[in-house]
Amino acid sequence: MTTSPAEAAEFIRSGRLAAFPTETVYGLGADVFDAAAVERIFEAKRRPADNPLIAHVGAVDQIPLLARELSRDAERLIERFFPGPLTLVLPRAANVPDVATAGLDTIGVRMPRHDLARLFLTAAATPVAAPSANLSGRPSPTTWQAVLEDLDGRIDCILQGEATEIGLESTVVDCSIDDAPVMLRTGAISLEQLAEVVPSIRIYDPSAVDAPVRSPGLKHRHYSPRARVHLCDAAVDPPTPLDAAYIGVTKPTASFRRAVVARDVDEYARRLFSFFRECDAAGIAEIYCESVDESGIGRALMDRLRRAAVG
Ligand code: TXA
Ligand code: MG
């Protein structure tokens, strides 16, 4: 455990694993070009080997180490949104090991805007492969304590920062194909913002008859607390309020064992995953989550809530 980005970067440089904060969630990093180290990420998280990792860069001049070409749209998105909570899926360069991309011919690339993350990545002096730093299937960690809860004894270092500012994972956009970019995962960079730069952008529709599996991670179980998650409005009447919790932006009409009323949708998103973890620790069986408008970050929040409710 350290608060020094240079010290955490030393772990990456010597082929070991270090968790680090970003503006979205904490990541679990290894040198992307060190296949054995990347392999250990999958073991530590118990992550299925067919789920590719995002490579994080500290500077845009590292992107050519990872991607063999950039479309005009990819260039525009980088120009506008890097550094930030956006991952671009790009055609991968030949020297990226197969294990990092789960054998795909593409690679996800992101440049975080978080200060500590940037110092860490700059000191590592190599792109860092990093999924969210949780055990596979658990909610993504938004604090270093959540990383410790899931991965204590399984990783080499945690770079300790504050609780993350956004609290949901990055927006993922596939720019690897010839036609229009496709948004694979919603996040803090909204569809509306992306469309300002690339008007032709589309949303991936996995239910389309001939839809290929564009993002393997989307088919895996995600974001789930052990408690059962229900979508509701603030007027919900839970069957067993003493055993239930609530989170939303409106004060609920019933009384719950635990309730969070966030100031706005941003705060709701920021607090969701740690609330899931708190409820699990308290042995709560049912969590009621208020539905919100699907605009801005509301779309990403509703996506995560629906996935948690299915799990
Ligand atoms: O905000 C974030 O994106 C955080 C921080 C640490 O950067 N990372 C993160 O990583 O959420 P992870 O591994 O938990 O989620 C990455 C998602 C998965 O759904 C994965 O399948 C998808 O991105 N992905 C990664 N590489 C891909 C590729 N080459 N093609 C399609 N999807 C890809
Ligand atoms: Mg994840």
Side-chain angles (χ1 to χ4, degrees):
M1 215 107 74
T2 179
T3 55
S4 156
E7 208 175 293
E10 244 345 281
F11 282 86
I12 302 297
R13 293 167 64 82
S14 60
R16 288 176 288 168
L17 307 187
F20 61 100
T22 77
E23 67 275 25
T24 57
V25 300
Y26 275 69
L28 175 59
D31 179 349
V32 74
F33 297 117
D34 182 336
V38 173
E39 190 83 55
R40 282 195 54 218
I41 292 181
F42 285 86
E43 282 162 26
K45 278 187 57 107
R46 303 201 186 100
R47 181 178 177 102
D50 66 350
N51 196 359
L53 307 182
I54 296 170
H56 296 69
V57 297
V60 285
D61 63 13
Q62 288 180 332
I63 296 173
L65 301 173
L66 301 163
R68 62 176 183 271
E69 57 176 313
L70 294 180
S71 64
R72 267 304 288 144
D73 287 336
E75 282 173 359
R76 286 193 191 102
L77 291 169
I78 287 168
E79 167 100 358
R80 173 71 181 77
F81 296 112
F82 277 28
L86 176 67
T87 297
L88 296 182
V89 172
L90 303 168
R92 81 151 149 157
N95 51 339
V96 177
D98 270 346
V99 57
T101 67
L104 297 178
D105 191 35
T106 57
I107 182 158
V109 177
R110 163 156 130 79
M111 179 174 171
R113 69 165 182 237
H114 188 275
D115 286 340
L116 208 52
R118 293 183 71 180
L119 291 170
F120 163 73
L121 292 167
T122 305
T126 178
V128 171
S132 50
N134 51 284
L135 281 174
S136 201
R138 300 270 295 141
S140 292
T142 55
T143 61
W144 64 261
Q145 290 91 340
V147 178
L148 195 63
E149 178 180 291
D150 275 17
L151 299 177
D152 191 17
R154 308 177 68 82
I155 63 175
D156 305 308
C157 175
I158 299 177
L159 174 57
Q160 296 169 288
E162 306 280 304
T164 59
E165 166 201 336
I166 295 172
L168 303 180
E169 306 84 350
S170 63
T171 306
V172 179
V173 174
D174 188 347
C175 292
S176 69
I177 25 153
D178 296 333
D179 47 343
V182 177
M183 185 170 76
L184 299 177
R185 182 172 73 183
T186 53
I189 305 287
S190 66
L191 185 66
E192 297 86 338
Q193 285 173 290
L194 294 165
E196 278 173 25
V197 181
V198 178
S200 60
I201 189 161
R202 291 176 296 127
I203 303 183
Y204 175 59
D205 175 11
S207 67
V209 205
D210 56 349
V213 179
R214 289 285 283 279
S215 193
L218 297 178
K219 72 177 197 285
H220 293 292
R221 198 163 170 268
H222 259 107
Y223 319 116
S224 311
R226 282 183 281 275
R228 182 192 281 279
V229 173
H230 308 272
L231 286 170
C232 69
D233 61 42
V236 65
D237 217 354
T240 50
L242 288 179
D243 202 26
Y246 170 90
I247 184 168
V249 287
T250 317
K251 195 172 178 309
T253 49
S255 64
F256 286 84
R257 180 161 148 207
R258 192 175 278 250
V260 163
V261 181
R263 242 173 298 123
D264 52 27
V265 176
D266 286 335
E267 190 192 339
Y268 184 176
R270 186 182 316 132
R271 294 183 64 173
L272 180 71
F273 289 154
S274 65
F275 185 67
F276 280 173
R277 285 174 179 270
E278 281 163 31
C279 289
D280 278 350
I284 285 168
E286 315 274 338
I287 304 175
Y288 290 82
C289 302
E290 186 185 7
S291 295
V292 298
D293 233 33
E294 301 216 24
S295 60
I297 194 145
R299 185 193 291 267
L301 179 58
M302 285 303 291
D303 167 70
R304 304 312 190 272
L305 290 175
R306 288 201 186 94
R307 287 171 195 278
V310 168

